Amino acid sequence: MGRVYKFGSGISTDAIMPGRYNVTTDFDSLRKGCFIEARPDFVATVQPGDIIVAGRNFGCGSSREHAPLSIKQNGIACVVAQGFARIFTRNATNIGLPIIRCAEVYDAVQEGDEMTVDIRTGVITSGGRTFAGEAPSGVALTIMEYGSLIEMIKARGWAALEEANVS
Amino acid sequence: MGTLAEEIFTQRLGREVHAGETVVADVDFAFAHDVTGPLAIKAFEQLDQPVWDPARIAFTFDHVMPANTVAAAELHRQIREFCAAQGVTNVLAEGICHQVLVEKGIAVPGGIVVGADSHSTTYGAMGCFATGLGSTDIGVTFATGRTWFRIPETVRVNVNGEPAPGVQAKDIALHVIRQVGAEGADYMAVEWGGETVSAMAMDERLTLCNLSVDFGGKAGMVEPDATTFAYTGGRGREVHVSNPRYIRTLEVDASAIRPQVAVHPAIDNVRDIDDVAGTPLDEVFIGSCTNGRLSDLALAAAMFEGREVSPRTRTVIVPSSRRVYLDTLERGYIETFARAGALVMNPGCGPCLGRQHGVLGPGENALSTSNRNYPGRMGSPEARIFLASPAVAAASALRGAITDPAEVN
Ligand code: SF4
């Protein structure tokens, strides 16, 4: 159970982690830079387990993995959006930040609402209502089962995907 | 049998593959730059194995070059140390990755290239499949020489007709983005073709493929032809589209396109120049991996010759690579820019990502030849960014306001 932080459509990686703040690989510095200009109160108020709800094309733009890392470092349990940009999808999956695509929930919830997300089934509940988000499948599911891309490669190498015959 | 993307993966895997399939494939080349590189190294080091092939890996210093903070200098130091330890000699501090690596010949027809930068789609102009990935993906490729791909569906863009004077590849791409929206090619490849693209030199094809990611494209590609093989000196494999099935086909009449401007705050908020002409500008930036090549700077120099830029506008010019810089110098353009009152910076990303060579203040307007106008991209989130071609940028620098290049000749 977490509280909802609500964002619009087209939230770019520049908004999540501006180019002036991602000159580091230090996870705690990245945590502090999350939404530093677009939403300056985010880092101060976010609690572990909170959930980001967004519109279409979340994480568009630059490939910087610093963006999903900074969200993960703030303890966000899941990002639920109407759509995710391609590279962000891969990056979040690779580092073990759960993301769920769901078209309906966006209009049904408000900032601060309580929400629960089952990141395996994609089922979202909030305010007594239930929404069917897309459960992870294919490569994303395989990586999720190992915890991260690095853990998957360490355990099985690419055979993990080749033998699973994922599509 | 298939689209260019399908044909390239079919060649690579030695069996016929189609859109929708997920495959693990060998890549020809992988790189990261001074922002994404250190995180890629961090991922790579967790695998505890050497790099797969030091000759097929590169690091570029371009986003913050030279380092302007101690933190940036520390990242550069980490990269140099890593490369020395792993025997990676492609440590390139001579301009933007996407220009320098094309000049170095890492992308050839039929090839597969991945980079820890979203605009890695640029290499598709060489008739290869090239896409951007994050740092962890690239770190894993540094170790294994491979990655996974979902073979994408393809949007075909047929461009025909002679563009009017002052209308460039940038305008054609912005026109397409205006039609399909910022997510128009999400998860798909974009194939650019038609008579107009066939007639384009490599500089302009690179611009089209560069901007393909800015409407979601996983790759932007041009089928290799005589122009491509002339550029690569015959290197690369023949690969051709054969009985392709496209998810969508767009027909573009280039002769009907006016100069286009993407207006803050989104790439798909595109207008004809006539709608925004006269907007005052605090900064004009000519450069970036989209439009910082020789032909772009030649055009700006021709317009600046014997004139001065508006004193109310900072005009920043950044050649995209050392080679472009030297060619520009040799032809006298640098002197033309300096005499016109423009600021010429060292090759690299320049102000594109708001980290070096000047940033925008709140309430300022900038016109840039780059590819992103998200709030905060070039400095203050309260600045407004307009994206346009080098012709529009040069005309606008002279007038200090957004200007149709046809008005300045
Ligand atoms: S010029 Fe801009 S878009 Fe291109 S690689 Fe550099 S920062 Fe990215």
Side-chain angles (χ1 to χ4, degrees), chain B residues 63 96 98 117 119 288-289 349 352-353 371 377:
Chain B
H63 285 60
I96 309 171
H98 307 308
D117 189 276
H119 287 100
S288 86
C289 57
C349 295
C352 172
L353 80 166
N371 44 47
R377 172 75 181 179

Side-chain angles (χ1 to χ4, degrees), chain B residues 45-334:
Chain B
E45 284 176 342
Q46 294 176 56
L47 295 175
D48 211 14
Q49 62 186 89
V51 297
W52 120 86
D53 184 350
R56 291 199 277 169
I57 288 174
F59 283 82
T60 57
F61 296 83
D62 44 8
H63 285 60
V64 207
M65 185 65 204
N68 55 7
T69 62
V70 173
E74 165 59 12
L75 295 185
H76 285 190
R77 193 194 60 75
Q78 283 173 17
I79 293 171
R80 290 190 190 281
E81 203 173 272
F82 173 83
C83 290
Q86 294 287 335
V88 174
T89 54
N90 296 312
V91 186
L92 306 166
E94 53 182 275
I96 309 171
C97 45
H98 307 308
Q99 180 61 20
V100 172
L101 292 172
V102 166
E103 290 170 0
K104 302 273 176 205
I106 64 109
V108 295
I112 300 179
V113 175
V114 292
D117 189 276
S118 58
H119 287 100
S120 302
T121 58
T122 311
Y123 309 96
M126 309 301 300
C128 64
F129 186 91
T131 194
L133 300 172
S135 293
T136 296
D137 269 323
I138 290 295
V140 170
T141 301
F142 283 167
T144 65
R146 318 177 77 194
T147 193
W148 68 271
F149 300 89
R150 181 184 170 280
I151 312 296
E153 284 78 24
T154 295
V155 178
R156 172 79 183 191
V157 186
N158 291 317
V159 191
N160 291 293
E162 174 94 12
V167 172
Q168 304 179 264
K170 179 65 157 285
D171 302 292
I172 294 170
L174 290 179
H175 168 84
V176 168
I177 295 172
R178 183 180 192 168
Q179 309 295 309
V180 303
E183 299 145 81
D186 257 7
Y187 300 89
M188 300 168 204
V190 182
E191 237 178 56
W192 299 89
E195 284 166 16
T196 313
V197 175
S198 299
M200 280 181 185
M202 205 47 78
D203 277 11
E204 289 204 277
R205 296 181 184 189
L206 289 162
T207 300
L208 294 178
C209 294
N210 176 276
L211 286 165
S212 298
V213 71
D214 294 299
F215 58 112
K218 178 176 192 166
M221 327 176 74
V222 177
E223 188 170 350
D225 60 9
T227 303
T228 325
F229 283 103
Y231 192 95
T232 67
R235 293 169 61 239
R237 278 182 292 279
E238 288 284 349
V239 57
H240 296 288
V241 169
S242 108
N243 288 324
R245 285 174 58 185
Y246 297 117
I247 192 162
R248 182 170 182 187
T249 302
L250 291 172
E251 300 295 336
V252 174
D253 176 3
S255 69
I257 297 177
R258 298 277 303 137
Q260 302 286 289
V261 181
V263 176
H264 172 91
I267 184 82
D268 55 358
N269 189 22
V270 178
R271 314 275 169 79
D272 285 355
I273 189 150
D274 316 85
D275 298 344
V276 286
T279 307
L281 295 172
D282 302 286
E283 176 162 319
V284 167
F285 164 44
I286 302 177
S288 86
C289 57
T290 310
N291 281 122
R293 286 178 273 275
L294 183 63
S295 58
D296 301 316
L297 301 186
L299 198 145
M303 291 174 79
F304 285 1
E305 184 63 50
R307 297 185 166 112
E308 283 192 23
V309 297
S310 165
R312 74 172 169 202
T313 306
R314 305 182 292 278
T315 298
V316 180
I317 300 183
V318 188
S320 59
S321 70
R322 174 168 63 182
R323 184 182 296 176
V324 171
Y325 187 92
L326 286 170
D327 288 346
T328 311
L329 189 67
E330 216 162 77
R331 293 170 192 222
Y333 302 156
I334 300 286

Side-chain angles (χ1 to χ4, degrees), chain A residues 58-71:
Chain A
F58 188 83
C60 56
S62 158
S63 68
R64 63 188 72 153
E65 199 166 298
H66 313 71
L69 269 172
S70 73
I71 293 174

Side-chain angles (χ1 to χ4, degrees), chain A residues 9-15 17-27 30 37-38 55-67 69 82-91 93-95 99 101 138-140 143 148-154 157-159 161-162 165-167, chain B residues 20-24 33 35-36 38-39 42-44 46-47 49 64 69 71-73 75 78 115-118 121 131-137 139-141 144-150 182-183 186-188 213-214 216-219 353-355 359 372 374-381:
Chain A
S9 284
I11 300 297
S12 69
T13 51
D14 278 288
M17 175 57 63
R20 287 169 299 295
Y21 298 89
N22 73 347
V23 194
T24 178
T25 57
D26 176 60
F27 286 0
L30 291 174
E37 289 175 346
R56 291 175 294 107
N57 214 11
F58 188 83
C60 56
S62 158
S63 68
R64 63 188 72 153
E65 199 166 298
H66 313 71
L69 269 172
Q82 291 174 311
F84 294 93
R86 183 186 67 84
I87 302 176
F88 187 91
T89 304
R90 269 182 92 125
N91 286 346
T93 305
N94 287 345
I95 64 168
I99 59 170
R101 189 195 301 259
V139 175
I143 293 174
S148 71
L149 179 69
I150 294 293
E151 291 308 320
M152 183 191 88
I153 295 289
K154 268 163 89 172
W158 288 114
L161 293 185
E162 289 171 314
N165 200 16
V166 289
S167 61
Chain B
E21 279 177 61
T22 298
V23 302
V24 177
H33 54 61
V35 173
T36 57
L39 269 185
K42 213 168 170 172
F44 169 86
Q46 294 176 56
L47 295 175
Q49 62 186 89
V64 207
T69 62
L75 295 185
Q78 283 173 17
D117 189 276
S118 58
T121 58
T131 194
L133 300 172
S135 293
T136 296
D137 269 323
V140 170
T141 301
T144 65
R146 318 177 77 194
T147 193
W148 68 271
F149 300 89
R150 181 184 170 280
E183 299 145 81
D186 257 7
Y187 300 89
M188 300 168 204
V213 71
D214 294 299
K218 178 176 192 166
L353 80 166
R355 189 182 292 161
V359 294
R372 291 200 166 131
Y374 300 127
R377 172 75 181 179
M378 294 176 68
S380 166

